[in-house]
Amino acid sequence: QVQLVESGGGLVQTGDSLKLSCVASGRSFSSYNMAWFRQAPGKEREFVAASNWWGGSRYYADSVEGRFIMSRDNAENTVYLQMNSLKPDDTAVYYCAASMRTIASRTPPGTIDYWGQGTQVTVSS
């Protein structure tokens, strides 16, 4: 199996930036497609960004396109989410996810193999 641990969340103001990290352990990290999801209070878990295992393709939700950047470092078994120009609507628990299958905006969260515990991001007005 794969274990995922997120970090980097916090309380920021509108317009600020944060960089989230997700460190993976277990099987070969390079074999997995990786993604970020988020879940706001009272809302369904929603797709944010994804990267295939070789890093050749990236996908972003329309709500974060142009503001968030996902990257991965297979040598360090780590994926990142650089979040810029944060808005109050970005407030949520952010989850790292890993799957042997491709992850994209239409991928049901229930089909994804592994999840981290989440890190809280709060953006004040």
Side-chain angles (χ1 to χ4, degrees):
Q1 63 176 7
V2 175
Q3 294 80 45
L4 305 172
V5 180
E6 305 98 330
S7 63
L11 174 62
V12 298
Q13 295 181 318
T14 297
D16 285 352
S17 296
L18 279 175
K19 188 173 184 178
L20 307 182
S21 299
C22 173
V23 179
S25 62
R27 294 186 176 182
S28 178
F29 176 74
S30 63
S31 298
Y32 289 86
N33 302 295
M34 304 295 297
W36 290 94
F37 285 73
R38 67 186 183 186
Q39 188 165 18
K43 303 292 185 179
E44 297 291 324
R45 189 167 298 189
E46 66 174 343
F47 172 83
V48 176
S51 176
N52 60 36
W53 68 268
W54 69 92
S57 298
R58 291 182 294 175
Y59 308 91
Y60 296 97
D62 290 343
S63 59
V64 306
E65 181 73 42
R67 298 189 297 119
F68 291 9
I69 301 172
M70 184 177 180
S71 61
R72 66 188 296 164
D73 186 342
N74 287 345
E76 298 294 330
N77 289 356
T78 304
V79 296
Y80 304 94
L81 185 67
Q82 177 67 51
M83 304 185 295
N84 302 313
S85 301
L86 284 163
K87 307 173 181 179
D89 286 348
D90 295 318
T91 296
V93 177
Y94 283 72
Y95 297 92
C96 182
S99 178
M100 295 294 291
R101 305 178 182 90
T102 299
I103 304 174
S105 60
R106 296 180 179 179
T107 300
T111 67
I112 296 173
D113 298 313
Y114 303 105
W115 294 91
Q117 294 300 306
T119 184
Q120 177 72 49
V121 173
T122 302
V123 185
S124 67
S125 301

